Amino acid sequence: MALSPAEARTAAAAGCPVDHEAIARAASGGSQASGDPHHGYEPFDLKDPFPAYAQLRRDEPVMYDERIGYWVVTRYDDVKSTFENWETFSSENAQAPVRERGPQATKIMKDGGFTAYSGLSARIPPEHTRIRAIAQRAFTPRRFKALEPTIRENTRKALEKMLANPERTGDFFAQVAYDIPTITILTLLGVDTSRVPTYKRWSDSRAAMTWGDLDDEQQVPHAHNLVEYWQECISLVTAAHAEGGNSFIADLVTAQGDGAEISDHEIASLAYSLLFAGHETTTTLIANCIRVLLSHREQWEQLVADPSGIAGAVDEVLRFSGSIVAWRRKALKDTEIGGVAIPQGANILLVMGSANRDENVFENPDAFDITRADARNHLSFGFGIHYCLGNMLAKLQAKIALEETLAAVPSLHLADDADIDFRENLSFRVPLSVPVTWEA
């Protein structure tokens, strides 16, 4: 029996095991001109998703994808308005695992006392409003400015180490971009910076468990890592109570003592989030700045000649090749996006990587242009009440990394045989390497 569009949407949202191609046809009014029900879109393949994004914007800008159980939204205005309308589109699923945890991973995490929750991104008002206001008092431009000399020195050291290779080859991702933001966020939170590899291991596990496509067995080592990660966050809060200090966590503990309404569990959850988000996406941003600019050599040379354009270049990289290409929301009631009916309880994937190349908003959107006047209108940091708290720190680090790299090695090039792959992931478009060469 054929499904009506309403029946298809309801069944889709519930994950009902029916003919999903029929669901897609019904929900879209039967429009499948390309013959591909997903218009080339592969949720976890991020090597070059942009042609599929363009096809989705053109053919089915609000598409139900039964493979992941999400309505995929790809046009700028729809993405922005959905972010903005937090009363209808909740962020409560933003940190939920894309693939349900298996029994082994679930037991490991339960037995290990894993109770971490989102710092801010998955919380909703009034809880979100309360915690963000407290966190914002500690996460200040003044604190970022104080970190600038450390960021610059760490960047110079990493560059010097890479450039010491007599063969004049390196991996900018692994040798420069990888550690700098991690050291920065560990310093901000008052954590021993010698433990970068440990925190990177934990962060990789968080990305894999939350946004990856893992089977039950693959989840097990990551579950152990997340237990360690959460217990460390609890320990950091305990230490801040006992020892104080000059750090973000210590500031929150002090605020709590002064009467701010924030619990130790909420402080630990903020640490859990920031120790991941505070470096993972910035590592990618720094790597992408180098990767994209070197792929557009004339614009690299333009910045070598005039570094005053660096801030604009960072925004254009965020638009053209952002670290996060998709984020999630849940419909709290029957509603619409872009004229398509969305049922209550439906999961929604907002594809900022597509919105940032919407031809209805950005002229010639597939062209990389560091002089683009409206690049700052990108949605790579989200929009609305959940706009990224650390956006200024991320952009500061990318700006410093570009300044130091352009000055130290203007002859930098992508390696001739560079074929850069990206981590398989629903949301984080992370290059696995950025192979580079330079002249003597």
Side-chain angles (χ1 to χ4, degrees):
M1 182 177 68
L3 296 172
S4 71
E7 289 169 334
R9 288 189 292 271
T10 302
C16 182
V18 296
D19 182 347
H20 292 297
E21 189 169 342
I23 289 175
R25 285 196 303 271
S28 66
S31 173
Q32 299 293 347
S34 70
D36 174 3
H38 304 110
H39 309 283
Y41 175 65
E42 294 296 333
F44 299 96
D45 182 358
L46 298 181
K47 182 162 184 173
D48 184 16
F50 301 105
Y53 292 166
Q55 192 170 336
L56 279 171
R57 289 194 306 274
R58 181 176 61 250
D59 295 343
E60 198 173 359
V62 182
M63 175 195 74
Y64 181 74
D65 191 332
E66 78 287 347
R67 298 169 299 178
I68 53 175
Y70 280 78
W71 292 85
V72 180
V73 180
T74 48
R75 286 184 179 165
Y76 184 98
D77 288 345
D78 295 334
V79 171
K80 184 177 180 180
S81 62
T82 303
F83 270 132
E84 191 170 27
N85 187 1
W86 61 267
E87 292 173 302
T88 299
F89 301 105
S90 170
S91 64
E92 63 193 66
N93 64 343
Q95 300 289 332
V98 175
R99 296 296 190 218
E100 188 175 342
R101 288 184 189 132
Q104 293 170 281
T106 299
K107 184 177 188 306
I108 290 166
M109 295 171 77
K110 181 179 179 181
D111 291 349
F114 182 89
T115 59
Y117 187 56
S118 167
L120 287 171
S121 65
R123 294 184 188 266
I124 58 176
E127 183 182 64
H128 171 271
T129 309
R130 171 178 57 82
I131 296 174
R132 186 178 177 107
I134 298 166
Q136 210 151 15
R137 296 204 300 263
F139 213 62
T140 62
R142 176 189 58 80
R143 190 177 287 281
F144 302 159
K145 189 70 174 176
L147 285 168
E148 184 170 346
T150 300
I151 298 167
R152 198 171 294 279
E153 181 62 22
N154 289 336
T155 304
R156 287 172 178 167
K157 287 180 179 178
L159 283 167
E160 287 172 4
K161 188 173 181 180
M162 183 184 78
L163 296 174
N165 182 0
E167 296 181 1
R168 301 195 298 278
T169 62
D171 178 357
F172 195 93
F173 180 86
Q175 294 177 274
V176 181
Y178 194 75
D179 283 355
I180 294 166
T182 315
I183 296 171
T184 300
I185 202 68
L186 294 185
T187 301
L188 183 71
L189 271 68
V191 178
D192 180 3
T193 56
S194 69
R195 301 185 66 199
V196 167
T198 299
Y199 278 92
K200 280 291 190 181
R201 171 169 56 86
W202 290 340
S203 293
D204 288 346
S205 287
R206 182 170 179 194
M209 283 288 279
T210 306
W211 295 279
D213 187 19
L214 306 179
D215 62 33
D216 289 1
E217 186 175 345
Q218 290 171 324
Q219 291 176 359
V220 169
H222 297 297
H224 284 295
N225 283 340
L226 290 187
V227 168
E228 292 179 18
Y229 183 9
W230 175 239
Q231 293 302 328
E232 177 74 3
C233 292
I234 294 172
S235 297
L236 291 172
V237 178
T238 301
H241 275 291
E243 303 164 12
N246 179 27
S247 72
F248 176 74
I249 295 174
D251 285 355
L252 293 176
V253 167
T254 299
Q256 182 194 70
D258 291 340
E261 188 184 347
I262 188 167
S263 68
D264 282 358
H265 191 279
E266 289 166 343
I267 296 172
S269 292
L270 280 167
Y272 177 79
S273 292
L274 288 172
L275 285 166
F276 170 77
H279 67 85
E280 179 76 11
T281 54
T282 307
T283 287
T284 305
L285 173 58
I286 292 171
N288 281 341
C289 283
I290 299 301
R291 178 181 62 83
V292 176
L293 280 163
L294 291 181
S295 298
H296 298 80
R297 188 71 201 180
E298 73 289 350
Q299 297 188 63
W300 172 270
E301 298 291 353
Q302 186 177 334
L303 290 178
V304 170
D306 181 11
S308 68
I310 287 175
V314 171
D315 269 314
E316 177 65 348
V317 170
L318 284 162
R319 184 201 70 83
F320 184 81
S321 187
S323 305
I324 301 177
V325 294
W327 211 239
R328 292 177 285 167
R329 289 293 184 263
K330 175 173 281 190
L332 297 180
K333 60 184 179 183
D334 290 346
T335 186
E336 289 188 355
I337 299 176
V340 176
I342 303 294
Q344 180 179 354
N347 287 312
I348 300 154
L349 188 69
L350 302 175
V351 187
M352 301 104 77
S354 172
N356 289 341
R357 295 200 186 193
D358 190 331
E359 45 283 307
N360 292 314
V361 177
F362 300 101
E363 185 179 355
N364 197 10
D366 290 324
F368 178 73
D369 180 4
I370 62 173
T371 66
R372 186 183 294 273
D374 59 354
R376 293 185 67 182
N377 293 336
H378 65 76
L379 298 175
S380 293
F381 291 126
F383 190 80
I385 65 169
H386 287 91
Y387 189 77
C388 176
L389 190 66
N391 73 91
M392 291 174 59
L393 182 58
K395 289 168 74 169
L396 173 65
Q397 293 184 86
K399 178 176 176 289
I400 291 171
L402 270 178
E403 288 171 348
E404 294 298 328
T405 304
L406 287 160
V409 56
S411 65
L412 197 67
H413 284 78
L414 283 179
D416 290 340
D417 59 350
D419 181 20
I420 297 172
D421 287 319
F422 291 77
R423 181 188 294 169
E424 290 193 356
N425 195 275
L426 188 70
S427 294
F428 293 84
R429 189 166 182 260
V430 183
L432 299 182
S433 65
V434 180
V436 292
T437 62
W438 56 91
E439 298 170 9

